[in-house]
Amino acid sequence: MPTCAECDAYVTRDFVRVFGIDGAVHGCPRCTTYRELQDGAGIDPNGDVTADEG
């Protein structure tokens, strides 16, 4: 059963496929916002994802 590496909450395999990387997710709706997830928070274990303002 997949879980969030940050808060250990259950996440679906589809959630991991969309928001994670290499079968792991480091943020979920329980511990982060969907906006942060869209910006890549689910793939960064340090939460240091920044938007490209280029």
Side-chain angles (χ1 to χ4, degrees), residues 3-39:
T3 59
C4 173
E6 185 67 27
C7 69
D8 205 34
Y10 168 76
V11 293
T12 65
R13 286 191 171 97
D14 286 337
F15 184 88
V16 174
R17 179 179 53 80
V18 172
F19 293 107
I21 190 166
D22 295 331
V25 68
H26 297 277
C28 71
R30 181 175 170 192
C31 64
T32 191
T33 66
Y34 272 103
R35 177 65 181 176
E36 291 169 333
L37 289 169
Q38 289 175 337
D39 288 341

Side-chain angles (χ1 to χ4, degrees), residues 36-52:
E36 291 169 333
L37 289 169
Q38 289 175 337
D39 288 341
I43 61 171
D44 187 17
N46 299 320
D48 293 334
V49 175
T50 57
D52 182 18

